[in-house]
Amino acid sequence: MKKHILCIEDEAAIRSMIRFSLEREGYVVTEAADARAARDAAASSPPDLMLVDWMLPDVSGPELIRRFRHDPLTRDIPIIMLTAKSEEDDMIHGLDAGADDYLMKPVSLKALSARIKALLRRSEGFDEQRVINAGRLQLNQNAHQLRIDGTPVHLGTTEYRLLEFFMQHPEKVYSRAQLLDFVWGQNTYIEERTVDVHVLRLRKTLKTHAAENVIQTIRGAGYLFSAIESTGD
């Protein structure tokens, strides 16, 4: 079955360019020029992935992403933010809103295609039931669900993949560069700072269940996952 992409962009020329390129690669593409049309489109036919422009006429891209993340229908759909904003703080703001990736304009169609493929690969489920247990945490890889002390905990797509990698490789330090390669993919061109942003978001979620210290910062080296929680960084 063809993957469905929802492209949310107010400039018709850019939407058409992206749609033409992605349809040539075999995707089904739906267009939306503003946040209202985007939410209607997502509700009527939930996509496999969304592209969200930062500057929309009715609601900002980050705010739209926050709304998607609070909607049970769309909260787990991978999202790539498209923006002309180049400052690091803007990137962090977009990722912190719930975006899984961030692509600068003018959009490189080759880079966009690679990132879409990488996110879709990471978001696909598995037929077999696989569960990882680590202390108080249990990760059901088939359902993409985390439980802490038996309580379901929602994670975004990238935070889920990051935690999954950590739980598969406990008690070993990984640098930011290594995590980018293993979790995001070797052909992904994003800054190492992105890792810190997603680790922070993951820790915030774990903190609601007093489990944030399973991910430890090893100064000057990177991050380590340990089911035996430390008392701090």
Side-chain angles (χ1 to χ4, degrees):
M1 183 179 295
K2 292 184 177 182
K3 294 295 185 180
H4 176 201
I5 310 295
L6 175 57
C7 179
I8 307 162
E9 163 65 59
D10 65 328
E11 294 188 39
I14 296 178
R15 288 200 314 272
S16 297
M17 176 186 69
I18 290 174
R19 179 171 191 163
F20 177 75
S21 177
L22 294 181
E23 286 182 340
R24 287 184 63 183
E25 294 191 35
Y27 296 104
V28 174
V29 181
T30 299
E31 298 181 29
D34 55 40
R36 181 175 181 179
R39 297 188 74 181
D40 289 345
S44 62
S45 180
D48 296 294
L49 182 144
M50 293 186 281
L51 307 175
V52 180
D53 181 36
W54 186 295
M55 301 295 292
L56 295 172
D58 47 356
V59 173
S60 74
E63 177 57 31
L64 177 60
I65 291 173
R66 288 191 189 93
R67 295 181 185 182
F68 280 138
R69 292 305 184 218
H70 283 91
D71 185 337
L73 186 66
T74 56
R75 67 185 183 187
D76 294 321
I77 297 175
I79 296 175
I80 299 175
M81 172 157 279
L82 308 178
T83 179
K85 294 179 177 289
S86 59
E87 296 296 324
E88 184 180 82
D89 287 346
D90 295 321
M91 178 193 73
I92 294 171
H93 180 51
L95 294 172
D96 201 43
D100 297 290
D101 206 346
Y102 189 98
L103 191 60
M104 292 291 301
K105 289 182 175 180
V107 175
S108 162
L109 295 176
K110 186 176 181 179
L112 177 62
S113 174
R115 295 188 184 196
I116 288 174
K117 289 175 182 176
L119 274 177
L120 289 176
R121 281 197 302 268
R122 294 204 300 268
S123 65
E124 287 176 350
F126 300 90
D127 292 332
E128 60 191 63
Q129 186 77 4
R130 297 186 297 167
V131 175
I132 304 174
N133 291 293
R136 298 167 53 214
L137 280 63
Q138 181 186 78
L139 197 69
N140 185 319
Q141 294 174 287
N142 190 55
H144 279 213
Q145 183 180 70
L146 169 67
R147 289 180 179 270
I148 299 178
D149 297 328
T151 302
V153 178
H154 171 69
L155 293 174
T157 302
T158 301
E159 285 69 46
Y160 169 85
R161 282 300 184 186
L162 187 58
L163 180 61
E164 180 183 47
F165 178 80
F166 278 135
M167 292 179 68
Q168 288 174 325
H169 305 87
E171 308 298 340
K172 183 176 180 180
V173 178
Y174 287 92
S175 69
R176 292 167 179 81
Q178 288 175 317
L179 289 170
L180 281 176
D181 284 345
F182 291 129
V183 179
W184 278 261
Q186 294 184 349
N187 294 321
T188 300
Y189 307 102
I190 54 178
E191 298 179 7
E192 291 185 6
R193 172 63 176 158
T194 300
V195 176
D196 298 327
V197 173
H198 284 287
V199 168
L200 177 62
R201 287 170 54 182
L202 177 56
R203 280 176 168 161
K204 284 182 178 178
T205 300
L206 296 175
K207 189 175 183 179
T208 61
H209 297 268
E212 70 274 18
N213 290 325
V214 296
I215 299 175
Q216 302 169 21
T217 300
I218 308 302
R219 302 299 181 187
Y223 296 102
L224 173 148
F225 176 87
S226 177
I228 302 174
E229 300 176 29
S230 70
T231 57
D233 287 339

